[in-house]
Amino acid sequence: AQRVDATGTVQWTTDGVAICTASGSRYDVEIMADGDDGAIVAWCDNRSDYDLYAQKINSAGGIQWMANGNPICIAPGQQRYPRMISDDNGGAIVVWRDYRAGNYDVYVRMFNEDGDTLWASNGVAVCATADAQMNPDIVSDGSGGAIVTWDDNRAAFYNDVYAQRVNGSGFLQWTADGVALTTAADHQRYHRAVSDGSNGVIAAWEDRRDWLTTDTDVYVGGVDESGGIKTPATLSSYSAAPVDGAVVVRWILSEFENSFEFFVSRAEGMSEDWRQLESPQVVAGENEFTFADQSCEPGKTYRYRLDLSDREGRRTLFETERITVPITDLTLDQNSPNPFNPQ
């Protein structure tokens, strides 16, 4: 390992500090900040078999743990491709692909700032179901644990994407063998994951469900903190037009949850000064919604913006074009009642 400052000048020993010089070879190196200006390095180690080791190095390039690294997993078979996140206390949670049972599974383990391994010996099985589980990724769950995602081959030949949450004590929190982010036709694979900022996860992946028509595409999906699949509010269409002196705005969503809340804002004339309307009366159908602005004035021009708030936060669904309210002729109709009451 080597440290380089902001000017590109190396800071440690010429040609780097040795992290591991044991017999055999090293593969699949992973590195992360330790929260104290140093770093934690993990790798697959071939000194006896394909095992996992880790080492901590401080800001001055000093090795902090055992020479040649602390063992993270030395189970039989191959342990490959570690990925790490911080445990927020100077240690880390690491996930890897594991071949101890004769097919690829996903295991995870925590180690503290001193390099002491926690949880079950040689790691916790996140998913050990039939066929192969590969390409694991990991994000923090925001509560001292982690959410692990992986490509899963349990559906015969094709890969899907699954996720599982493990708490800070090493116990699985969701459905056994994980929650499916997608089980669409053909392959979904080579995913990457990020935290959603609300203790859940969002993943993106290569997707071949429509490969005969659009070739390989990219899809995204997510799971909330309880293991529920995120349901996005997708806008199908919208329209806005003056009707009987009001401006009527209509929109259709492809998905709908009772937790949705709508906010309507209006800008007058050529201004971009949006002002949120108080308590807009939105009339809901099955997936269709209508708002009628009765406060608009004839001859004036308006634009409307619709924001939606759900479990993912608040976001803008659409902004309309400028709409001018027609000026109607002033007419005098027959008085009613006729005749008038004397008063």
Side-chain angles (χ1 to χ4, degrees):
Q2 180 60 276
R3 183 168 187 165
V4 184
D5 71 11
T7 67
T9 304
V10 295
Q11 302 296 294
W12 295 342
T13 304
T14 302
D15 294 329
V17 174
I19 299 294
C20 179
T21 58
S23 60
S25 299
R26 256 54 62 188
Y27 307 94
D28 316 329
V29 179
E30 171 84 336
I31 187 170
M32 56 163 259
D34 69 350
D36 192 27
D37 296 330
I40 296 174
V41 181
W43 64 90
C44 170
D45 196 296
N46 190 227
R47 69 186 73 175
S48 60
D49 199 348
Y50 290 87
D51 298 317
L52 292 184
Y53 283 75
Q55 180 61 268
K56 190 172 187 177
I57 188 167
N58 67 18
S59 60
I63 296 298
Q64 302 298 291
W65 295 344
M66 293 167 43
N68 293 323
N70 288 25
I72 303 302
C73 180
I74 53 174
Q78 294 185 4
Q79 286 78 49
R80 298 289 305 267
Y81 309 115
R83 292 182 68 84
M84 287 188 296
I85 59 167
S86 172
D87 70 348
D88 297 325
N89 289 302
I93 304 174
V94 59
V95 66
W96 65 89
R97 189 184 79 179
D98 198 296
Y99 199 70
R100 71 183 70 177
N103 60 280
Y104 292 120
D105 298 315
V106 174
Y107 278 72
V108 65
R109 196 173 194 186
M110 178 186 282
F111 52 93
N112 64 21
E113 62 181 340
D114 297 321
D116 300 325
T117 48
L118 309 176
W119 302 353
S121 176
N122 288 321
V124 174
V126 174
C127 183
T129 190
D131 297 302
Q133 288 76 48
M134 300 176 292
N135 189 31
D137 205 356
I138 188 169
V139 301
S140 172
D141 71 350
S143 300
I147 298 176
V148 175
T149 53
W150 66 91
D151 298 351
D152 197 296
N153 191 231
R154 72 184 71 177
F157 174 73
Y158 296 113
N159 289 329
D160 299 311
V161 180
Y162 278 72
Q164 178 63 270
R165 184 176 182 178
V166 56
N167 68 15
S169 299
F171 295 104
L172 304 183
Q173 301 296 292
W174 295 342
T175 303
D177 293 323
V179 175
L181 276 74
T182 175
T183 57
D186 213 296
H187 284 299
Q188 289 78 48
R189 56 189 179 182
Y190 309 130
H191 81 285
R192 283 293 176 263
V194 295
S195 170
D196 69 353
S198 300
N199 301 340
V201 66
I202 298 172
W205 59 85
E206 174 190 297
D207 197 300
R208 284 170 53 88
R209 71 184 70 178
D210 298 317
W211 74 276
L212 288 176
T213 55
T214 61
D215 211 329
T216 301
D217 303 313
V218 175
Y219 277 71
V220 64
V223 181
D224 64 25
E225 62 179 338
S226 300
I229 297 298
K230 294 174 178 290
T231 304
T234 304
L235 181 69
S236 294
S237 64
Y238 71 91
S239 63
V243 178
D244 296 334
V247 175
V248 177
V249 183
R250 294 188 175 91
W251 62 96
I252 298 175
L253 303 181
S254 63
E255 302 286 348
F256 174 66
E257 292 183 351
N258 292 329
S259 61
F260 289 175
E261 184 178 4
F262 296 112
F263 300 89
V264 181
S265 298
R266 187 178 73 182
E268 296 188 15
M270 302 300 292
S271 171
E272 293 294 330
D273 182 17
W274 293 98
R275 298 190 177 185
Q276 185 172 307
L277 303 180
E278 294 185 7
S279 303
Q281 299 300 307
V282 176
V283 179
E286 183 175 354
N287 275 28
E288 183 174 352
F289 305 87
T290 303
F291 164 72
D293 183 9
Q294 303 287 353
S295 66
C296 55
E297 299 179 25
K300 287 194 172 182
T301 299
Y302 302 94
R303 293 177 65 208
Y304 295 86
R305 185 182 72 201
L306 186 84
D307 290 353
L308 177 143
S309 178
D310 60 10
R311 292 181 296 175
E312 306 310 307
R314 178 168 168 170
R315 61 191 182 279
T316 298
L317 282 183
F318 62 85
E319 295 178 2
T320 70
E321 300 294 329
R322 291 183 173 85
I323 300 161
T324 300
V325 181
I327 298 176
T328 57
D329 294 332
L330 181 64
T331 60
L332 180 64
D333 293 332
Q334 176 63 51
N335 57 292
S336 177
N338 184 16
F340 278 136
N341 183 289
Q343 294 183 347

